[in-house]
Amino acid sequence: MSEHVYKIVELVGSSTKGSDEAVRNAIARAGKTLRNLDWFEVKEMRGHLADGKISHWQVKLAVGFRLTD
Amino acid sequence: MSEHVYKIVELVGSSTKGSDEAVRNAIARAGKTLRNLDWFEVKEMRGHLADGKISHWQVKLAVGFRLTD
Amino acid sequence: MSEHVYKIVELVGSSTKGSDEAVRNAIARAGKTLRNLDWFEVKEMRGHLADGKISHWQVKLAVGFRLTD
Amino acid sequence: MSEHVYKIVELVGSSTKGSDEAVRNAIARAGKTLRNLDWFEVKEMRGHLADGKISHWQVKLAVGFRLTD
Amino acid sequence: MSEHVYKIVELVGSSTKGSDEAVRNAIARAGKTLRNLDWFEVKEMRGHLADGKISHWQVKLAVGFRLTD
Amino acid sequence: MSEHVYKIVELVGSSTKGSDEAVRNAIARAGKTLRNLDWFEVKEMRGHLADGKISHWQVKLAVGFRLTD
Amino acid sequence: MSEHVYKIVELVGSSTKGSDEAVRNAIARAGKTLRNLDWFEVKEMRGHLADGKISHWQVKLAVGFRLTD
Amino acid sequence: MSEHVYKIVELVGSSTKGSDEAVRNAIARAGKTLRNLDWFEVKEMRGHLADGKISHWQVKLAVGFRLTD
Amino acid sequence: MSEHVYKIVELVGSSTKGSDEAVRNAIARAGKTLRNLDWFEVKEMRGHLADGKISHWQVKLAVGFRLTD
Amino acid sequence: MSEHVYKIVELVGSSTKGSDEAVRNAIARAGKTLRNLDWFEVKEMRGHLADGKISHWQVKLAVGFRLTD
Amino acid sequence: MSEHVYKIVELVGSSTKGSDEAVRNAIARAGKTLRNLDWFEVKEMRGHLADGKISHWQVKLAVGFRLTD
Amino acid sequence: MSEHVYKIVELVGSSTKGSDEAVRNAIARAGKTLRNLDWFEVKEMRGHLADGKISHWQVKLAVGFRLTD
């Protein structure tokens, strides 16, 4: 029962609003094609600048999901 | 005077709202039993997913406090 | 001939028995859907605790396999 | 055209409000003296504590900008 | 409910038998004084040598447990 | 518009000629099955030796591509 | 006999004199409340500056001590 | 004589030709405004992709130069 | 007496049986030519796969031994 | 008041006497051209050898200073 | 058969021509005194600058070779 | 001329006096059997504790020396 196997995919979410929102956007996209999403881990936080301001935040994250047998 | 010694403890705070709130929750809990809290440092940011959404954020942080003599 | 390209996937295997067994479980699962598995590398070793004991070991590993042309 | 050279400076922004705001404060300050800001990357997230609460967040970031010829 | 706070302690377990056993020994010792043990993570694996053989394995691990309110 | 989500895959390219060529080979292979390739990052550079010479270079790289909605 | 378990605590020692003295100060403080101190490891070396000079050195160290049964 | 002080600046050079050329471009640009360049160190190697090909290589490097008194 | 100097060599042991056995094999080989072996530290754990199974485990370790005067 | 922005510069100080002195030399040099120096952090400690002896120690450090508005 | 033990040595190769050539020079030198060279891994890429140009590239690499019984 | 090849060995020096002295002791020992010592780099700083005091400092360092042709 506890001998599950999980797969991890790496995504970069972006948002004009902030870092947490960039994470949420990536998770939302992952949920469209993957089932059994279980956890995420932030790997890198960065962003693009335009006209001296943050045009969008970019957060790289690992997302783990349980593989079905 | 500046020859203080500090101790560092590692905590994981969680929150359903966002990453900053998870940090605040951990600091609030630390303040219940430790005095002279001085600084914190974020070590890891992750979270649990349920039904394709973030059920709670989890932030691991180191918290430093000054030891009294 | 030596100009192959490999892909790496990241998996987490779990086992109630021990760390090596968690690796073997992940490899066994990978072998169900991927061909030409070539090597693995352990990235992280952890586990869940229940009632003060290890309920299952979890080993994160990268698995490399050769892409066919 | 794509053979630009970029310089990276390291800044620490602080804020009483939260981590994203600390990033924005650092970028705003950078924009006062540097042109062609292009990207940033968060390197470290920490903060000072006073009276058991976060008095201000501190985020260290690398900021890249394009050098003009 | 999910807004728990966890504390992490770092331990080194040792064993003459093998690396997994060193982990189990550290967990067993942690369970004597700490409640609500939740997870562990291996940080370092090493050992002492005597007469050209492994006299004991030493595994450094972080152990997380839930703080009660 | 800037709220795209990207996926990252990890590949190892190899080449008998040199390190840059190993990168190019991996990118060429990625382009056969993936669209909207956006960036790559070198993670590791190594190679196999035979008869005291480099028989082929192996470069591990992360390749990011934009996910379509 | 060799199946001891050790605990590691993280401290920051400070000194106006130099880096080694900051280590010694932290160890001296640790010895006031902990028994069976066994080893230390320097994790970070930093310091505060005032009037363009080092006002005090700060060394973060991990200190390991044997737990009694 | 050997008690020199050096400063390190971080640059990203780019090139359509290859990774070494991206390094050379960054050094050439540094030489326009800095004197006594002494060494460089590659910190990161990446690149942009367009139409499934490498449009330009980007190499982040630290460049050290001796400060005059 | 305590002012000994130690040398560290890096080895990769392999085994068809498991990760601990790969460590033991490397130590056994080291003991054939080196005296005063004192400690080891695991640096990397990986392995080769054949027919979808682990054909052998490979563990990279650093082995320290005391130099005689 | 606490919403200051700091800049970090990287320096290498050298000394024939020892590691702490190399740090002090770098700080002294920084103080000639920069104001509001606030903290330093040691990043790397190395040195040059000549005739089998240490000819000079070299310490790379990050130095943070507060930017004025 | 697969239970070989490998030793790893660390070398720095240099070249006036480029980074790959620095690797080849180190391997060529290793081949003069070591047999059964099996693989290499690049650990660090740097170089010396003179007159604002790269006077030579320096690549640190680990070289693994199989130990005979 | 600049196409030299260097070898790096890893040593741990110890001293009852302090961290710099531990480095010097390791270099002195290296100089007994190796020629053309060129540089060193500190990799780790630790020590043993006895009776609540530092019994000896231990510094792990990499030492580079030029190989003759």
Side-chain angles (χ1 to χ4, degrees):
Chain A
M1 201 197 308
S2 57
E3 306 222 337
H4 293 308
V5 176
Y6 300 81
K7 188 175 175 183
I8 297 171
V9 291
E10 228 175 17
L11 301 172
V12 177
S14 55
S15 164
T16 57
K17 291 187 199 121
S19 59
D20 281 9
E21 196 64 18
V23 175
R24 284 187 202 100
N25 287 348
I27 298 297
R29 182 62 181 78
K32 285 189 187 175
T33 50
L34 300 172
R35 303 216 161 259
N36 306 314
L37 296 180
D38 203 67
W39 85 93
F40 72 92
E41 183 177 345
V42 171
K43 307 296 265 187
E44 202 178 274
M45 209 179 279
R46 39 198 304 161
H48 270 279
L49 304 169
D51 300 321
K53 287 192 183 130
I54 298 172
S55 63
H56 52 276
W57 298 74
Q58 297 171 310
V59 183
K60 190 198 288 182
L61 60 168
V63 180
F65 57 100
R66 185 164 44 80
L67 293 173
T68 50
D69 304 318
Chain B
M1 200 197 310
S2 55
E3 306 222 336
H4 293 308
V5 176
Y6 300 81
K7 188 174 174 183
I8 297 170
V9 291
E10 229 175 14
L11 300 172
V12 176
S14 55
S15 164
T16 56
K17 293 189 199 121
S19 60
D20 281 10
E21 197 64 18
V23 175
R24 284 187 200 100
N25 287 348
I27 298 296
R29 181 61 181 78
K32 284 190 186 174
T33 50
L34 301 172
R35 303 213 160 263
N36 305 313
L37 296 180
D38 205 67
W39 84 93
F40 72 92
E41 182 177 345
V42 172
K43 307 296 265 188
E44 203 178 273
M45 208 178 281
R46 41 198 302 162
H48 270 280
L49 303 170
D51 301 321
K53 288 195 183 127
I54 298 173
S55 63
H56 53 277
W57 298 74
Q58 297 171 310
V59 183
K60 191 198 289 182
L61 59 168
V63 180
F65 57 101
R66 185 166 43 79
L67 293 173
T68 51
D69 305 318
Chain C
M1 200 198 308
S2 57
E3 305 222 336
H4 293 308
V5 176
Y6 301 81
K7 188 175 175 182
I8 297 170
V9 292
E10 229 175 15
L11 300 173
V12 177
S14 54
S15 165
T16 57
K17 292 189 200 119
S19 60
D20 281 9
E21 196 65 18
V23 174
R24 283 187 200 102
N25 286 347
I27 298 297
R29 181 63 180 78
K32 285 189 185 174
T33 51
L34 300 171
R35 302 212 162 264
N36 306 313
L37 297 180
D38 204 66
W39 84 93
F40 71 92
E41 182 177 344
V42 172
K43 307 296 265 187
E44 204 178 270
M45 209 179 280
R46 41 196 304 160
H48 271 280
L49 302 170
D51 302 320
K53 290 198 181 124
I54 299 173
S55 62
H56 52 276
W57 298 74
Q58 296 172 309
V59 183
K60 191 198 287 182
L61 59 169
V63 180
F65 57 100
R66 185 165 44 80
L67 294 172
T68 50
D69 305 316
Chain D
M1 199 199 309
S2 56
E3 305 223 335
H4 293 308
V5 177
Y6 301 81
K7 188 176 175 182
I8 297 170
V9 291
E10 228 175 16
L11 300 173
V12 177
S14 54
S15 165
T16 58
K17 292 188 200 121
S19 60
D20 280 9
E21 196 65 18
V23 175
R24 284 187 200 100
N25 286 348
I27 299 297
R29 182 61 181 77
K32 286 188 184 175
T33 51
L34 300 171
R35 303 212 161 263
N36 306 313
L37 296 179
D38 204 66
W39 85 93
F40 72 92
E41 182 177 344
V42 172
K43 308 295 265 187
E44 201 178 275
M45 209 177 281
R46 39 197 303 161
H48 270 279
L49 303 170
D51 302 321
K53 287 192 184 131
I54 298 173
S55 62
H56 52 276
W57 298 74
Q58 296 172 310
V59 183
K60 190 197 288 183
L61 59 168
V63 180
F65 57 100
R66 186 165 44 79
L67 293 173
T68 51
D69 306 318
Chain E
M1 201 198 307
S2 57
E3 305 222 337
H4 292 307
V5 176
Y6 300 81
K7 188 173 174 183
I8 297 170
V9 290
E10 227 174 17
L11 300 173
V12 177
S14 53
S15 163
T16 56
K17 291 189 200 120
S19 61
D20 281 9
E21 196 64 17
V23 175
R24 284 187 201 102
N25 287 347
I27 298 298
R29 182 62 181 79
K32 285 191 187 174
T33 52
L34 301 171
R35 302 213 162 264
N36 306 312
L37 296 179
D38 205 67
W39 85 92
F40 72 90
E41 182 177 345
V42 172
K43 308 295 264 187
E44 204 177 271
M45 209 178 279
R46 39 197 304 162
H48 270 280
L49 302 171
D51 301 322
K53 291 198 180 124
I54 298 174
S55 62
H56 51 278
W57 298 74
Q58 297 171 310
V59 182
K60 191 198 287 182
L61 60 168
V63 180
F65 57 99
R66 185 166 44 79
L67 293 173
T68 50
D69 304 316
Chain F
M1 200 197 308
S2 57
E3 305 221 338
H4 293 308
V5 177
Y6 301 81
K7 188 174 175 184
I8 297 170
V9 291
E10 227 173 17
L11 300 172
V12 177
S14 55
S15 164
T16 56
K17 292 189 199 121
S19 60
D20 281 10
E21 197 65 18
V23 175
R24 283 187 202 101
N25 287 347
I27 299 297
R29 182 60 181 77
K32 285 189 185 174
T33 51
L34 302 170
R35 303 216 159 261
N36 306 313
L37 296 180
D38 204 66
W39 84 93
F40 71 92
E41 183 177 344
V42 172
K43 308 296 264 187
E44 204 179 272
M45 208 178 281
R46 40 198 302 162
H48 271 279
L49 303 170
D51 302 320
K53 288 194 183 129
I54 298 173
S55 62
H56 52 276
W57 299 74
Q58 297 171 309
V59 183
K60 191 198 288 182
L61 60 168
V63 180
F65 57 99
R66 186 165 44 79
L67 293 173
T68 51
D69 306 317
Chain G
M1 199 197 310
S2 57
E3 305 223 336
H4 293 308
V5 176
Y6 301 81
K7 188 175 175 184
I8 297 171
V9 291
E10 228 175 16
L11 301 172
V12 177
S14 54
S15 164
T16 56
K17 291 189 200 121
S19 59
D20 281 9
E21 196 65 18
V23 175
R24 284 187 200 101
N25 286 347
I27 298 297
R29 183 60 181 79
K32 284 190 187 175
T33 50
L34 300 172
R35 303 215 160 261
N36 305 313
L37 296 180
D38 204 67
W39 84 92
F40 71 92
E41 183 176 345
V42 172
K43 307 296 264 188
E44 202 178 275
M45 209 179 280
R46 39 198 304 161
H48 270 279
L49 303 170
D51 301 321
K53 286 191 184 133
I54 298 172
S55 63
H56 52 275
W57 298 75
Q58 297 172 310
V59 182
K60 189 197 290 181
L61 59 169
V63 179
F65 57 100
R66 186 165 43 80
L67 294 173
T68 50
D69 305 316
Chain H
M1 199 199 309
S2 56
E3 305 222 336
H4 293 308
V5 176
Y6 300 81
K7 188 174 175 183
I8 296 170
V9 292
E10 227 173 18
L11 301 172
V12 177
S14 54
S15 164
T16 56
K17 291 190 200 118
S19 60
D20 281 9
E21 197 63 18
V23 175
R24 284 188 200 100
N25 286 348
I27 298 297
R29 182 61 181 77
K32 284 190 185 174
T33 52
L34 300 172
R35 302 213 161 263
N36 306 313
L37 296 179
D38 204 65
W39 84 93
F40 72 92
E41 182 177 345
V42 171
K43 309 294 266 189
E44 202 178 273
M45 208 178 281
R46 39 197 303 162
H48 271 280
L49 303 170
D51 301 322
K53 286 193 185 132
I54 299 173
S55 63
H56 52 277
W57 298 74
Q58 296 171 310
V59 183
K60 190 197 287 181
L61 60 169
V63 180
F65 56 100
R66 186 166 43 80
L67 294 173
T68 51
D69 307 317
Chain I
M1 202 198 307
S2 57
E3 306 222 338
H4 293 308
V5 176
Y6 300 81
K7 188 174 175 183
I8 297 170
V9 290
E10 230 175 15
L11 300 173
V12 177
S14 54
S15 165
T16 56
K17 292 188 199 121
S19 61
D20 282 10
E21 196 65 18
V23 175
R24 283 187 201 101
N25 287 348
I27 299 297
R29 183 62 181 78
K32 284 190 186 173
T33 52
L34 300 172
R35 304 213 160 262
N36 306 313
L37 296 180
D38 204 66
W39 84 92
F40 71 91
E41 183 177 345
V42 171
K43 307 296 264 187
E44 205 178 272
M45 209 179 280
R46 41 198 302 162
H48 270 279
L49 303 170
D51 300 320
K53 291 200 180 120
I54 299 173
S55 62
H56 52 275
W57 298 75
Q58 297 172 311
V59 183
K60 191 199 286 183
L61 60 167
V63 180
F65 56 100
R66 185 164 45 78
L67 293 173
T68 50
D69 306 316
Chain J
M1 199 199 308
S2 57
E3 305 222 338
H4 293 308
V5 177
Y6 300 82
K7 188 175 175 183
I8 297 170
V9 291
E10 227 173 19
L11 300 173
V12 177
S14 54
S15 165
T16 57
K17 291 189 200 120
S19 60
D20 280 9
E21 197 65 18
V23 175
R24 286 187 200 101
N25 287 349
I27 299 297
R29 182 61 181 79
K32 285 189 185 175
T33 51
L34 300 171
R35 303 212 161 264
N36 306 313
L37 296 180
D38 205 66
W39 84 93
F40 72 91
E41 182 177 345
V42 171
K43 307 296 265 187
E44 202 179 273
M45 209 177 282
R46 40 198 303 162
H48 270 279
L49 303 170
D51 302 322
K53 289 194 182 128
I54 298 172
S55 62
H56 52 277
W57 298 74
Q58 296 172 310
V59 183
K60 190 198 288 183
L61 59 169
V63 180
F65 58 100
R66 186 165 44 80
L67 293 173
T68 52
D69 305 317
Chain K
M1 201 197 308
S2 58
E3 305 224 336
H4 293 308
V5 176
Y6 300 81
K7 188 175 176 184
I8 297 170
V9 291
E10 228 175 16
L11 300 173
V12 177
S14 54
S15 164
T16 57
K17 290 186 200 121
S19 60
D20 281 9
E21 196 65 18
V23 175
R24 284 187 201 101
N25 286 348
I27 298 297
R29 183 60 181 79
K32 284 190 187 175
T33 51
L34 301 171
R35 304 217 159 258
N36 306 314
L37 296 179
D38 204 66
W39 84 93
F40 71 92
E41 183 177 346
V42 171
K43 308 295 266 188
E44 203 179 272
M45 209 179 280
R46 40 198 304 162
H48 270 279
L49 303 169
D51 301 320
K53 288 194 183 129
I54 298 173
S55 63
H56 52 275
W57 299 75
Q58 296 171 310
V59 183
K60 190 198 288 182
L61 60 168
V63 180
F65 56 99
R66 185 164 44 78
L67 292 174
T68 50
D69 306 315
Chain L
M1 201 197 308
S2 57
E3 306 222 337
H4 293 307
V5 177
Y6 300 81
K7 187 175 175 183
I8 297 171
V9 290
E10 229 175 14
L11 300 173
V12 176
S14 55
S15 164
T16 56
K17 292 189 198 121
S19 59
D20 281 9
E21 196 64 17
V23 175
R24 284 187 200 102
N25 287 347
I27 299 296
R29 181 61 181 78
K32 284 190 187 175
T33 51
L34 301 171
R35 304 218 159 259
N36 305 313
L37 296 179
D38 204 67
W39 84 91
F40 71 92
E41 184 177 345
V42 172
K43 306 297 264 188
E44 203 179 272
M45 209 179 279
R46 41 197 304 162
H48 271 278
L49 303 170
D51 301 321
K53 289 195 181 127
I54 298 172
S55 63
H56 53 275
W57 298 74
Q58 297 171 309
V59 183
K60 191 198 288 182
L61 60 167
V63 180
F65 58 99
R66 185 166 44 80
L67 293 173
T68 50
D69 306 318

